[in-house]
Amino acid sequence: MNKTKFSLEQLTVAYQLLRWTVLVTPVAVVVGSLVALFLWLLEVVTQLRWQHEWLLFGLPLAGILIYWLYRLGGKQADRGNNLVMEEIHQPGGGVPARMAPLVLLTTIITHLFGGSAGREGTAVQIGGSMAGLIGKKMGLSPEDIRILLMTGIAAGFGAVFGTPLTGAVFALEVLAIGVMRYDALIPCLIASVFADIVCSAWGIHHTHYSITYISQSFIKEIPFIHLDLWLLGKVIVCGVAFGLSSFLFATLMHNIKHNANAYIKIPWLIPVAGGVVIIILSYIAGTTDYLGLGVSSKSSDGISILAAFDANSSVNDWSWLWKLVFTAITLGMGFKGGEVTPLFFIGATLGHTLALWLGAPVDLFAGLGFIAVFAGATNTPIACTLMGVELFGTNHVLYFAVACFTAYYFSGHAGIYSAQRLEVRKLR
Amino acid sequence: MNKTKFSLEQLTVAYQLLRWTVLVTPVAVVVGSLVALFLWLLEVVTQLRWQHEWLLFGLPLAGILIYWLYRLGGKQADRGNNLVMEEIHQPGGGVPARMAPLVLLTTIITHLFGGSAGREGTAVQIGGSMAGLIGKKMGLSPEDIRILLMTGIAAGFGAVFGTPLTGAVFALEVLAIGVMRYDALIPCLIASVFADIVCSAWGIHHTHYSITYISQSFIKEIPFIHLDLWLLGKVIVCGVAFGLSSFLFATLMHNIKHNANAYIKIPWLIPVAGGVVIIILSYIAGTTDYLGLGVSSKSSDGISILAAFDANSSVNDWSWLWKLVFTAITLGMGFKGGEVTPLFFIGATLGHTLALWLGAPVDLFAGLGFIAVFAGATNTPIACTLMGVELFGTNHVLYFAVACFTAYYFSGHAGIYSAQRLEVRKLR
């Protein structure tokens, strides 16, 4: 009896794993390749924008173009990440295949003309729409398509940041607040590992961040306590600040979107107004460093994510707030792209500033902000802790977790994805 | 409106965090201290047993003593970890406070006389029963006691292995198969970090394991692929083997327990018979290395968890199976202690053997087996991936995850904890 049960159950698992490996391979190849194309284009248009500063003045017109492309492409696709997540919660009309080219093209346009936006939203939408298309072509059941959509998110996320484990856990964790289900874990992991390999095989390299700080207690063996408690206290304080800035970002973006729709009656005027505001703001800020992706800057002494890891860079006390406002306006007023890379920027620069105030290691706290503001805004503390490990190495995993979990609690119950379900309240 | 919601929600969170910090502090101090006492006693009795080999012949009598102690202490306490988990799922009569001294004393007796057992079960039961006691003394509501019990598990686990993050995630993940809820995340993390600090402050040191292998692709920048695909394939193959050995262990232990109760009608004769079988088996095996904890061995060239990380040690092809049988008999026939350290032993020695067969790095695969067999048997793949990071550091987090998730899938739906709820099937 036990033996029968064994052979049946384990054979089923083996069969299912092989089946899913076969099913997710085309998803991984297509999504990994499209993400590679996307990242390459992003690099090209960023260089173009750096060489031709006047492109910024085209931002209002670019907004009209994006509005028009989505009008042409169909209203559903405009709902982006939320549509992918809703289709996983409750399969309905499916994720349209045209979402992938639409979001890719409009994100590239946004970046070419200087909108402040990210990459993950685009990669996730490419992943979701391609997975949906492949699932339909293969004639899968709705339940299988549901899992395939999750592998699409994992593949897109894993490939775009070069962090496959984070991609897989993110796909499971992002769907709901307060709970994570494991049923699609292995298909998601296979998809994100494959997609990352495919993306790398196209010659895409990911930015390398480095935290050289090593906690005291790792060097000298302190007899009592193998944790730097003072440092831990600072991490908690910063975790609260990271969570509040996630909350501020999500609230500001929702309010801008809501008010823009309420007060500007002609829809194509919304991105035009957004573009004009961005142009004005970049003059007030006196720099173009808050435009675009922000991973690196045009000038070697500019403000960027990489600069945030350097204690002597030109990152200032308000860099995080500038980026927050630029991004909330860009994405709240009709431009396209992800939220996550700007969240990295906001977190890394805020961590940089707080570290200088508190007398803490700047590179470690920039890394903590990088992952924790993202954890707070997307309600994915475990994926973000793992991202810290994948991007920055393992010595500081406890600090990564404390920062991400604290930010998760202090970011409120809203987050940037309206389709995320609140299943278990954060604290009772 | 938004402002009111902000201040209310964030202030509530801040208040709740402070409240839980206050509530879990006594739990962490008491549990951390008792775990320190337990680990110190464990070291003392292991040294005693190494010096006096004849103690093994006392094992059958020790079995009667343990049986009698539990009869005296009350039947409920005998249900151990499962009782703690059931009280979290469905608060009932509470976890009796006498569970802590009972399990501590009987585990020490088991180890003194050479039973093959672990530590985590004991630490978790100390944590659960002390948290229950403290919750009752403080007059908390049933819902708060439920969370406090989870912090007890986290504190016990975090302190006993020196891995606070793993302890916190384990406490959330172990309750159910296929789903993880986040509501007690921060209280658990606070408890496990504090308990680990308290335990260290008593002068307890944890064994240091080290993986020196560095994947090729991390050394030379291979242009295409930043993952060693060939190595990844070996990790998956071993993950299947790790999962099957988890399944074998859980099934064998359940069957031994079931059959012993069915065929041996006088209850105190069960541990006597178990003790006799262990004595006979240690003569057949020709070594005492499979007795006790097994972290290190009496002789410098013996078989142990530490030896499994060394390619030239005396670990042989069947070391994993020996330890599996020794432990299933010890714990299936009435002796006390945890399952996890023996699972580490089984996994590390199996990983060692498979690495030699497959031509893979022995230290890395010993580490993978260490965490993955445990992941399979307890259905906690994410906690175990994090444990890999906390114990072994290095750059292998993706391999940790692949091994743990694969083992999780291939271990079936049983696991070693009968009170674990199956909420979401592993694959559909």
Side-chain angles (χ1 to χ4, degrees):
Chain A
M1 177 61 206
N2 258 309
K3 213 165 177 185
T4 327
K5 197 180 148 205
F6 159 76
S7 40
L8 274 183
E9 190 162 272
Q10 260 77 358
L11 282 180
T12 310
V13 168
Y15 164 73
Q16 288 276 25
L17 285 188
L18 285 178
R19 177 167 175 268
W20 277 110
T21 306
V22 172
L23 290 181
V24 304
T25 301
V27 175
V29 171
V30 171
V31 175
S33 302
L34 282 175
V35 167
L37 172 67
F38 169 56
L39 289 176
W40 176 77
L41 283 173
L42 212 51
E43 184 59 33
V44 169
V45 298
T46 302
Q47 294 292 343
L48 268 180
R49 182 173 60 78
W50 285 349
Q51 285 158 23
H52 308 285
E53 291 220 330
W54 54 264
L55 279 169
L56 177 59
F57 297 107
L59 193 58
L61 281 176
I64 300 181
L65 181 60
I66 290 170
Y67 169 77
W68 177 78
L69 282 169
Y70 268 96
R71 235 187 118 90
L72 206 77
K75 258 292 173 218
Q76 267 306 74
D78 195 24
R79 299 200 13 260
N81 287 13
N82 289 315
L83 178 63
V84 178
M85 287 162 66
E86 277 164 21
E87 282 295 319
I88 293 171
H89 285 312
Q90 184 72 54
V95 181
R98 61 183 175 280
M99 186 191 255
L102 262 176
V103 75
L104 202 157
L105 186 61
T106 54
T107 305
I108 293 298
I109 293 172
T110 300
H111 280 275
L112 176 62
F113 292 96
S116 170
R119 302 169 287 190
E120 119 295 341
T122 312
V124 163
Q125 290 172 47
I126 290 174
S129 74
M130 288 299 107
L133 179 70
I134 290 166
K136 232 182 287 174
K137 292 273 174 215
M138 291 197 286
L140 296 183
S141 69
E143 177 58 20
D144 282 350
I145 288 183
R146 200 188 135 259
I147 292 183
L148 211 63
L149 285 178
M150 293 171 73
T151 70
I153 296 181
F157 195 100
V160 79
F161 295 122
T163 55
L165 180 57
T166 309
V169 175
F170 178 82
L172 305 183
E173 201 176 24
V174 74
L175 296 172
I177 298 179
V179 63
M180 168 155 70
R181 286 194 181 74
Y182 288 16
D183 49 342
L185 213 158
I186 279 268
C188 284
L189 190 61
I190 300 169
S192 61
V193 170
F194 277 15
D196 178 43
I197 291 170
V198 169
C199 186
S200 301
W202 284 104
I204 296 294
H205 287 282
H206 296 282
T207 312
H208 180 72
Y209 305 97
S210 112
I211 297 179
T212 53
Y213 173 77
I214 294 174
S215 174
Q216 278 300 316
S217 45
F218 288 107
I219 309 174
K220 314 182 268 184
E221 197 67 50
I222 296 172
F224 278 179
I225 290 167
H226 58 96
L227 242 183
D228 186 338
L229 280 183
W230 189 231
L231 186 63
L232 187 64
K234 292 175 184 173
V235 172
I236 294 171
V237 169
C238 290
V240 175
F242 295 144
L244 294 179
S245 65
S246 310
F247 173 80
L248 182 63
F249 175 74
T251 310
L252 187 64
M253 196 176 71
H254 285 309
N255 280 347
I256 286 174
K257 192 173 275 177
H258 180 78
N259 288 324
N261 285 318
Y263 292 108
I264 308 182
K265 292 295 171 200
I266 303 165
W268 59 265
L269 270 182
I270 296 175
V272 171
V276 171
V277 174
I278 294 287
I279 294 170
I280 295 170
L281 279 179
S282 71
Y283 274 92
I284 299 175
T287 173
T288 55
D289 283 346
Y290 303 119
L291 304 176
L293 207 55
V295 171
S296 53
S297 168
K298 181 186 164 186
S299 56
S300 61
D301 63 340
I303 299 163
S304 66
I305 299 180
L306 276 169
F309 285 78
D310 175 6
N312 304 311
S313 67
S314 58
V315 171
N316 64 57
D317 290 0
W318 301 106
S319 293
W320 66 276
L321 189 59
W322 276 116
K323 186 69 179 173
L324 193 153
V325 172
F326 270 87
T327 311
I329 291 170
T330 302
L331 298 176
M333 297 186 77
F335 293 94
K336 294 294 157 181
E339 291 91 353
V340 172
T341 310
L343 289 170
F344 291 164
F345 189 118
I346 296 164
T349 51
L350 179 57
H352 175 105
T353 296
L354 292 173
L356 291 178
W357 287 358
L358 296 169
V362 167
D363 54 357
L364 175 60
F365 278 62
L368 293 174
F370 185 111
I371 53 176
V373 172
F374 168 37
T378 57
N379 295 305
T380 58
I382 291 184
C384 292
T385 301
L386 290 170
M387 182 172 233
V389 172
E390 284 194 298
L391 287 180
F392 310 127
T394 52
N395 281 332
H396 306 291
V397 60
L398 187 65
Y399 300 122
F400 295 159
V402 169
C404 289
F405 294 161
T406 310
Y408 165 77
Y409 277 103
F410 278 91
S411 69
H413 283 96
I416 55 174
Y417 303 127
S418 58
Q420 198 171 42
R421 283 192 185 169
L422 175 58
E423 296 211 6
V424 178
R425 290 195 69 79
K426 292 188 177 181
L427 266 180
R428 283 185 280 206
Chain B
M1 178 63 206
N2 259 310
K3 210 161 176 185
T4 327
K5 197 182 148 202
F6 160 76
S7 41
L8 274 183
E9 191 164 90
Q10 260 76 356
L11 282 180
T12 312
V13 168
Y15 165 73
Q16 289 276 25
L17 285 188
L18 285 177
R19 175 166 177 269
W20 277 110
T21 306
V22 172
L23 292 180
V24 303
T25 301
V27 175
V29 171
V30 170
V31 175
S33 301
L34 283 175
V35 167
L37 172 68
F38 169 57
L39 289 176
W40 177 76
L41 282 172
L42 211 52
E43 183 60 32
V44 169
V45 298
T46 301
Q47 293 292 342
L48 268 177
R49 182 174 59 79
W50 285 351
Q51 285 157 25
H52 307 285
E53 291 220 330
W54 54 265
L55 279 168
L56 177 59
F57 298 105
L59 192 59
L61 281 176
I64 302 182
L65 182 58
I66 290 170
Y67 170 78
W68 177 77
L69 281 170
Y70 268 97
R71 235 187 119 87
L72 208 78
K75 258 292 174 217
Q76 267 305 78
D78 196 21
R79 303 205 3 265
N81 288 12
N82 288 316
L83 179 63
V84 179
M85 284 160 66
E86 278 164 21
E87 282 292 323
I88 293 171
H89 285 311
Q90 184 72 53
V95 182
R98 60 183 177 282
M99 184 191 260
L102 262 175
V103 75
L104 201 159
L105 187 61
T106 54
T107 303
I108 292 297
I109 293 171
T110 299
H111 279 274
L112 176 63
F113 293 96
S116 169
R119 302 169 286 189
E120 120 292 341
T122 312
V124 163
Q125 290 173 48
I126 290 174
S129 74
M130 288 299 108
L133 180 70
I134 291 166
K136 232 182 290 176
K137 291 274 176 212
M138 291 198 283
L140 297 184
S141 69
E143 176 59 21
D144 282 350
I145 288 183
R146 201 190 134 259
I147 291 183
L148 211 63
L149 285 178
M150 294 173 71
T151 71
I153 296 180
F157 194 99
V160 80
F161 295 123
T163 55
L165 180 56
T166 310
V169 176
F170 178 81
L172 305 184
E173 203 176 22
V174 75
L175 296 171
I177 298 179
V179 63
M180 170 155 69
R181 286 197 180 71
Y182 288 16
D183 49 340
L185 214 159
I186 278 269
C188 285
L189 189 63
I190 300 169
S192 61
V193 169
F194 276 17
D196 178 44
I197 290 171
V198 170
C199 186
S200 301
W202 285 105
I204 296 293
H205 287 284
H206 297 281
T207 311
H208 181 71
Y209 305 96
S210 110
I211 297 178
T212 54
Y213 172 77
I214 295 173
S215 173
Q216 279 300 319
S217 47
F218 288 108
I219 308 173
K220 310 183 270 181
E221 198 66 50
I222 296 173
F224 278 2
I225 290 165
H226 59 96
L227 243 182
D228 186 338
L229 279 182
W230 189 229
L231 186 64
L232 186 65
K234 293 174 184 175
V235 172
I236 294 171
V237 169
C238 291
V240 176
F242 296 143
L244 293 178
S245 67
S246 309
F247 173 81
L248 183 63
F249 175 74
T251 310
L252 187 65
M253 194 175 74
H254 285 310
N255 280 347
I256 287 175
K257 193 173 272 175
H258 180 78
N259 287 324
N261 284 319
Y263 293 107
I264 307 180
K265 293 295 173 200
I266 304 164
W268 59 263
L269 271 181
I270 295 175
V272 171
V276 171
V277 174
I278 293 286
I279 294 170
I280 295 170
L281 278 180
S282 72
Y283 275 91
I284 298 176
T287 174
T288 55
D289 283 345
Y290 303 120
L291 305 174
L293 207 55
V295 171
S296 52
S297 167
K298 183 186 164 184
S299 57
S300 61
D301 64 340
I303 298 162
S304 66
I305 298 180
L306 276 171
F309 285 79
D310 175 5
N312 304 311
S313 67
S314 57
V315 171
N316 64 57
D317 289 359
W318 301 107
S319 293
W320 67 276
L321 189 58
W322 276 117
K323 186 67 180 177
L324 194 154
V325 172
F326 270 87
T327 310
I329 293 169
T330 302
L331 298 177
M333 297 186 78
F335 293 94
K336 295 294 160 183
E339 292 91 352
V340 172
T341 309
L343 289 171
F344 292 163
F345 190 116
I346 296 164
T349 51
L350 180 57
H352 174 106
T353 297
L354 292 174
L356 291 178
W357 286 358
L358 296 170
V362 166
D363 54 357
L364 175 60
F365 277 63
L368 294 176
F370 185 112
I371 53 175
V373 173
F374 168 36
T378 57
N379 295 305
T380 57
I382 290 184
C384 292
T385 301
L386 290 170
M387 182 171 234
V389 172
E390 284 194 299
L391 286 181
F392 309 126
T394 76
N395 293 314
H396 305 295
V397 60
L398 187 64
Y399 300 122
F400 295 158
V402 169
C404 289
F405 294 160
T406 310
Y408 164 78
Y409 277 103
F410 278 90
S411 70
H413 284 96
I416 56 174
Y417 303 126
S418 58
Q420 198 170 43
R421 282 191 186 169
L422 174 58
E423 295 211 8
V424 178
R425 291 196 70 78
K426 290 186 177 180
L427 265 181
R428 284 186 280 205

